[in-house]
Amino acid sequence: MDVIERWSGRYACLLQSALRLGNEQFAAHLGIAVRTVAAWHSDASVIPRREIQQLLDTSYEQAPPAARQRFALSLAKERVSVDSTPPGAQALRVAISVVVRDSDVLLVCRRDVGTAGITWQFPAGVIKPGSKAETTTVRETLGETGVHCAVRQHLGNRLHPVTDVLCEYFLCEYLAGEATNSDAAENIDVMWVPRNAVLRFIPIDTIFPPILAVLEEQT
């Protein structure tokens, strides 16, 4: 059994993901404020106070076996990723845009999924060294889809459970433009999808929990 000597915002988010709970659900589950959970997603290095450490211990100990297994797998991936990063190297970071327009959300379909098992996903782009994640998410969304958007909220970050890439997630609002496949070399299609239909395109266990919470709030 994995034992967490000291919970951090990152480990708390991994537990939340393993339990498959949105921010509000996880906050209610622990009996804490939603803003505390949101802070963990904004700063993965934050260390919760002692009382919350105990709540997280209890939540983990009482979690269903399947959730504990998901947590253990995510934790193992995280530790391997950290241990295998050479000193001074910069981890690959990707900015991901959750662009909403009325009751729809913007998705793209990747041309080459390789062994990752990903087909439909949210627009994304690599954050180059020295670039801001917010700028990258707006620029890459436009480059991939022809859609102009503006960042509304930073939803947090995590190591993606399939690709092991460090992802920064942003809720963005639609400004202008027709959704078109502007990057045919990388994508097959671009489409607006009803928010309540996203799970038909993307497996729930690969979606960042705060995204699920946002989509539920907006429907």
Side-chain angles (χ1 to χ4, degrees):
M1 179 181 73
D2 286 290
V3 175
I4 301 298
E5 294 294 338
R6 185 172 65 167
W7 290 92
S8 65
R10 179 65 192 144
Y11 289 160
C13 290
L14 290 180
L15 179 59
Q16 177 187 357
S17 179
L19 292 170
R20 295 180 176 170
L21 298 175
N23 283 10
E24 292 186 359
Q25 294 171 311
F26 193 45
H29 174 72
L30 294 174
I32 61 177
V34 177
R35 64 177 178 273
T36 300
V37 177
W40 296 338
H41 288 285
S42 297
D43 184 359
S45 65
V46 67
I47 302 299
R49 63 180 186 273
R50 184 171 58 184
E51 306 94 287
I52 296 182
Q53 293 275 336
Q54 294 171 345
L55 292 173
L56 290 165
D57 283 340
T58 300
S59 177
Y60 171 73
E61 291 164 4
Q62 296 178 350
R68 292 176 64 162
Q69 184 177 16
R70 287 192 293 270
F71 177 79
L73 289 172
S74 297
L75 188 62
K77 286 183 179 180
E78 176 115 342
R79 288 172 173 170
V80 168
S81 177
V82 172
D83 292 342
S84 62
T85 302
Q90 187 169 17
L92 179 64
R93 296 172 63 217
V94 172
I96 296 180
S97 310
V98 183
V99 185
V100 295
R101 183 190 67 177
D102 298 326
S103 61
D104 296 332
V105 64
L106 189 63
L107 297 183
V108 299
C109 187
R110 298 299 184 203
R111 178 174 296 281
D112 182 11
V113 299
T115 59
I118 296 176
T119 51
W120 287 96
Q121 58 184 262
F122 302 101
V126 174
I127 305 170
K128 297 178 181 179
S131 298
K132 291 185 177 180
E134 294 87 345
T135 303
T136 299
T137 199
V138 170
R139 183 184 66 246
E140 293 296 325
T141 298
L142 177 61
E144 280 194 315
T145 70
V147 168
H148 295 268
C149 67
V151 173
R152 182 189 300 173
Q153 179 184 353
H154 181 225
L155 297 175
N157 56 58
R158 67 165 179 175
L159 283 178
H160 195 280
V162 175
T163 63
D164 288 329
V165 170
L166 179 59
C167 300
E168 298 283 350
Y169 295 87
F170 296 91
L171 175 63
C172 301
E173 62 179 324
Y174 168 81
L175 296 179
E178 294 293 329
T180 57
N181 185 7
S182 303
D183 189 357
E186 186 171 339
N187 300 327
I188 297 173
D189 199 5
V190 173
M191 184 167 59
W192 288 105
V193 173
R195 299 178 197 182
N196 58 10
V198 168
L199 297 186
R200 299 178 189 174
F201 295 83
I202 306 176
I204 188 172
D205 58 346
T206 66
I207 299 181
F208 193 37
I211 294 177
L212 292 174
V214 164
L215 295 179
E216 290 172 1
E217 290 171 2
Q218 300 294 329
T219 54

